[in-house]
């Protein structure tokens, strides 16, 4: 079953920068996809299209069959509940504990308290941070912080997890920790899309690779490797 | 919305006010100053309007007879007055009756002072004329002024015309002042809240990412606006209500002349208080919601 389908998607920012050109892509449920390419190629823009941080200038984007470019803005929150997002800089709230940071994502969509408890404990288990639930973000390593942000992204059980350079700020060892977590999540059936510059990871954990250059998809291989022409 | 969520929004709203203590204080002060001015103007204008209404109804013309006029001259004056156009009735009011009326119209406190005047009554004898039509009062009065043996002629309209001028000026001044102050207060509030939003931008961004609705994100700011408005109304409400009760209880009887009286404090203070509270809350909410709008765009 296809979960994401882009047809002829182009994006020109208001300052005239042409970030994406005629993108066509199909992503099936449960896939693990790397998005690679040189800096400024349009990877982040591509990712932002999926959770409607940015709207395309033309073309259509279907998520689970419905065209999100036609979504009224009051329905956008409900789209976002189906998509988990992870950032390079974690975006954790420094004054909240690990537990509270994760629970926050469920509180603001008004889940009942007993469900929040249950779900937070489950995802803490997945990211292997149960013992650090009471810690503040500052008291954790970079890899642990990134895992907290992944836990927050998956706590409401999204269909798709997207991550924009989730290992960008991490040393190699911690990067592998994070990748392990993403793989675990992918194995449970969640589609994972990840923009990255990490050649070693892409070449070791072989998955589908989409290469974007100057706003165009120049390569799309099922068990690809990290390479693009400069 | 669930009760638990409302409690959360309330707590967040309060926290925001504390987080930017000084700016919140400035916003609250702006609301306070604005509402004080609005309150005072409101009380003045409502009372003036009430006064004007009662004066307008009282369309009699009082022709005060010169103190030196003999009885015969008084009789002649009466005849002359009867000859005037548009006069419906003439009543004689001796200076003693006049004093009785005056004393009756006064509150208990001041009666004694005036009772002592009985021996040396400073008033004039008078004829009271009614025009066939209230509109013609002025015309009757102007004709009466031409006659002999007259001390002076009083009629409601003189006062009304003058007061109309005064109230119009006051109303315009009041509206300009009040609008200026409202604008300042809204500006301060929207800036205060902008600061709290900048401080919370990351939080808001995360809320949006995990699918919180704009309504949900807006609630704490809405509550913050209400709180700034309500807190800002406390002092003006107390002062305006207390002040008016004080003036009413202590000066009402002294200020009231024949026809003019202050509006009773009991419904008026409540009405004015409610209006002030409503304006305070409106300004607070408006200020806060304008500042969030920009941050909520998808
Ligand atoms: N909000 C924006 N407004 C205007 N132009 C933008 C905006 N965001 C990105 N761009 C431009 O669009 C192009 C693609 O940017 P994008 O962030 O998608 O690249 P990227 O592939 O993620 O790069 P990197 O690997 O450095 O993160 C760049 O030229 C960038 O300057
Ligand atoms: Mg990027």
């Amino acid at each position: 079953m296809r979960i994401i389908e882009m047809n002829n998607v182009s994006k020109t920012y208001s300052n005239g920068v042409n970030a994406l050109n005629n993108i066509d892509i199909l992503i099936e449920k449960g896939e693990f996809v790397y998005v690679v390419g040189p800096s400024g190629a349009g990877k982040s823009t591509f990712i932002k299209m999926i959770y409607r941080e940015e709207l395309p200038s033309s073309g259509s984007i279907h998520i689970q069959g419905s065209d999100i470019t036609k979504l009224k803005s009051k329905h956008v929150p409900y789209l976002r509940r189906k998509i988990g997002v992870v950032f390079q800089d974690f975006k954790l709230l420094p004054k909240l504990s690990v537990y509270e940071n994760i629970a926050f994502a469920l509180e603001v969509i008004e889940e009942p308290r007993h469900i929040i408890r249950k779900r937070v404990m489950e995802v803490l288990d997945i990211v292997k941070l149960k013992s650090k639930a009471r810690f503040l973000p500052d008291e954790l390593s970079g890899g642990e912080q990134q895992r907290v942000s992944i836990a927050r992204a998956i706590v409401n059980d999204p269909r798709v997890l997207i991550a924009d350079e989730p290992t960008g700020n991490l040393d190699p060892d911690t990067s592998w920790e994070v990748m392990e977590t993403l793989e675990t999540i992918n194995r449970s059936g969640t589609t994972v899309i990840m923009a990255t510059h990490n050649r070693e990871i892409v070449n070791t954990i072989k998955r589908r690779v989409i290469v974007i250059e100057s706003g165009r998809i120049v390569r799309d291989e099922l068990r690809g490797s990290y390479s693009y022409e400069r | 919305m669930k009760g638990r969520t409302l409690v959360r929004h309330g707590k967040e709203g309060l926290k925001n006010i504390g987080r930017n203590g000084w700016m919140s204080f400035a916003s609250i002060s702006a609301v306070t100053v604005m509402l004080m001015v609005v309150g005072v103007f409101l009380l003045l204008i409502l009372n003036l309007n009430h006064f004007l209404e009662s004066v307008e109804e009282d369309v009699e013309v009082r022709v005060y007879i010169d103190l030196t006029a003999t009885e015969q001259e008084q009789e002649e004056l009466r005849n002359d007055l009867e000859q005037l156009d548009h006069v419906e009735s003439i009543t004689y009011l001796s200076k003693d009756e006049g004093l009785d009326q005056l004393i009756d119209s006064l509150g208990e406190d001041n009666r004694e002072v005036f009772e002592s005047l009985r021996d040396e009554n400073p008033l004039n004898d008078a004829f009271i004329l009614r025009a066939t039509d209230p509109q013609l009062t002025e015309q009757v009065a102007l004709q009466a002024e031409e006659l002999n043996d007259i001390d002076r002629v009083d009629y409601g309209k003189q006062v009304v015309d003058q007061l109309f001028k005064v109230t119009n000026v006051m109303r315009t001044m009041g509206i300009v002042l009040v609008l200026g102050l409202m604008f300042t207060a809204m500006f301060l509030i929207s800036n205060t809240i902008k600061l709290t939003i900048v401080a919370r931008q990351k939080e808001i961004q995360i809320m949006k990412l995990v699918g919180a609705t704009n309504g949900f994100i807006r609630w704490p700011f809405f509550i913050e606006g209400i709180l700034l408005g309500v807190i800002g109304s406390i002092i003006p409400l107390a002062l305006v209500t207390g002040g008016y009760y004080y003036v009413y209880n202590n000066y009402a009887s002294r200020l009231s002349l024949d026809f003019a009286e202050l509006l009773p404090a009991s419904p008026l203070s409540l009405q004015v208080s409610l209006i002030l509270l409503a304006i305070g809350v409106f300004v607070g909410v408006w200020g806060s919601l304008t500042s969030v709008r920009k941050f909520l765009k998808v």
Side-chain angles (χ1 to χ4, degrees), chain A:
Chain A
M1 201 185 98
R2 90 186 35 142
I3 193 152
I4 297 172
E5 176 174 357
M6 292 194 186
N7 286 307
N8 210 13
V9 168
S10 297
K11 172 69 182 180
T12 307
Y13 282 107
S14 53
N15 61 0
V17 173
N18 213 354
L20 290 179
N21 290 303
N22 309 97
I23 300 286
D24 286 303
I25 199 94
L26 287 180
I27 294 174
E28 300 288 326
K29 185 176 184 310
E31 274 195 282
F32 193 118
V33 182
Y34 295 114
V35 180
V36 302
S39 191
K43 302 182 295 296
S44 296
T45 307
F46 175 81
I47 280 197
K48 284 174 183 168
M49 295 286 153
I50 299 170
Y51 62 99
R52 223 185 115 149
E53 167 104 21
E54 296 287 351
L55 268 172
S57 311
S58 63
S60 65
I61 302 170
H62 286 81
I63 305 238
Q64 286 189 313
S66 60
D67 187 352
I68 64 162
T69 61
K70 298 211 169 70
L71 211 55
K72 290 210 183 82
S73 52
K74 70 170 178 193
H75 293 131
V76 170
Y78 304 96
L79 166 72
R80 302 243 171 101
R81 290 175 196 187
K82 292 195 275 183
I83 299 169
V85 187
V86 177
F87 292 94
Q88 189 174 352
D89 61 353
F90 319 144
K91 294 200 194 304
L92 299 176
L93 297 169
K95 292 201 179 111
L96 301 187
S97 70
V98 166
Y99 181 93
E100 289 164 338
N101 261 291
I102 300 168
F104 184 76
L106 294 177
E107 275 163 12
V108 301
I109 60 173
E110 299 181 71
E111 287 287 355
R113 189 167 296 186
H114 65 277
I115 297 211
I116 295 180
R117 242 206 118 62
K118 181 168 155 285
R119 279 299 297 160
V120 175
M121 291 328 272
E122 280 170 16
V123 294
L124 277 173
D125 201 29
I126 294 172
V127 301
K128 301 196 172 66
L129 281 173
K130 248 182 170 163
S131 59
K132 303 203 164 160
R134 303 266 152 244
F135 285 43
L136 290 176
D138 280 350
E139 298 162 346
L140 302 178
S141 73
E144 287 167 335
Q145 289 184 41
Q146 187 59 295
R147 273 147 57 202
V148 176
S149 84
I150 293 171
R152 184 184 60 201
I154 60 169
V155 73
N156 61 357
D157 204 11
R159 304 282 155 272
V160 184
L161 180 68
I162 52 189
D164 197 352
E165 300 190 39
T167 59
N169 275 335
L170 305 176
D171 62 64
D173 284 351
T174 13
S175 298
W176 287 112
E177 272 175 33
V178 167
M179 285 313 295
E180 242 171 70
T181 310
L182 290 178
E183 285 222 275
T184 314
I185 291 159
N186 179 237
R187 272 196 297 273
S188 74
T190 308
T191 311
V192 177
I193 299 166
M194 159 178 172
T196 184
H197 284 294
N198 194 316
R199 176 190 301 264
E200 208 193 329
I201 286 176
V202 175
N203 289 341
T204 309
I205 308 177
K206 291 261 178 185
R207 293 303 162 103
R208 179 175 174 186
V209 179
I210 294 172
V211 183
I212 298 183
E213 269 175 52
S214 313
R216 291 174 199 281
I217 295 182
V218 295
R219 213 150 50 76
D220 182 354
E221 290 172 357
L222 268 187
R223 289 179 66 79
S225 61
Y226 189 95
S227 68
Y228 50 81
E229 283 153 36
R230 46 184 317 281

Side-chain angles (χ1 to χ4, degrees), chain B residues 148-275:
Chain B
N148 294 326
D149 301 311
I150 281 176
D151 183 59
R152 71 199 144 90
V153 176
D154 272 354
Y155 66 106
K157 189 123 188 334
Q158 288 169 324
V159 192
V160 174
D161 282 348
Q162 295 245 306
L163 280 176
F164 262 132
K165 275 183 206 141
V166 176
T167 24
N168 277 340
V169 171
M170 280 193 43
R171 223 176 260 158
T172 319
M173 266 173 45
I175 288 170
V176 170
L177 200 62
V178 165
L179 284 181
L181 286 167
M182 267 175 88
F183 187 78
T184 313
M186 285 182 186
F187 179 78
L188 271 169
I189 288 179
S190 97
N191 269 304
T192 306
I193 293 186
K194 246 177 233 161
L195 281 182
T196 72
I197 292 176
V198 171
R200 301 181 61 199
Q201 224 166 353
K202 192 171 168 187
E203 204 174 314
I204 292 178
Q205 195 187 6
I206 295 167
M207 286 166 93
K208 298 198 64 163
L209 275 177
V210 298
T213 57
N214 280 351
F216 185 93
I217 297 172
R218 221 181 268 131
W219 260 97
F221 297 100
F222 180 71
I223 290 180
E224 183 179 355
I226 293 181
L227 286 175
L228 291 176
V230 169
I231 298 172
S233 326
I234 293 175
I235 295 176
L237 243 63
L239 284 187
V240 166
T241 309
Y244 193 70
Y245 266 99
Y246 181 79
V247 169
Y248 186 75
N249 289 333
N250 292 285
Y251 299 103
S253 47
R254 238 172 280 170
L255 288 174
S256 72
L257 306 167
D258 293 350
F259 37 73
E261 339 181 282
L262 290 175
L263 284 162
S266 129
L268 184 68
S269 326
L270 184 66
Q271 289 159 352
V272 169
S273 299
L274 287 178
I275 293 175

Side-chain angles (χ1 to χ4, degrees), chain B residues 58-77:
Chain B
D58 199 5
V59 288
E60 62 181 29
V61 177
R62 285 189 177 218
V63 179
Y64 292 99
I65 304 163
D66 200 284
L67 290 169
T68 60
T70 62
E71 247 175 66
Q72 201 197 332
E73 281 166 336
Q74 286 199 8
E75 210 44 49
E76 277 167 24
L77 178 60

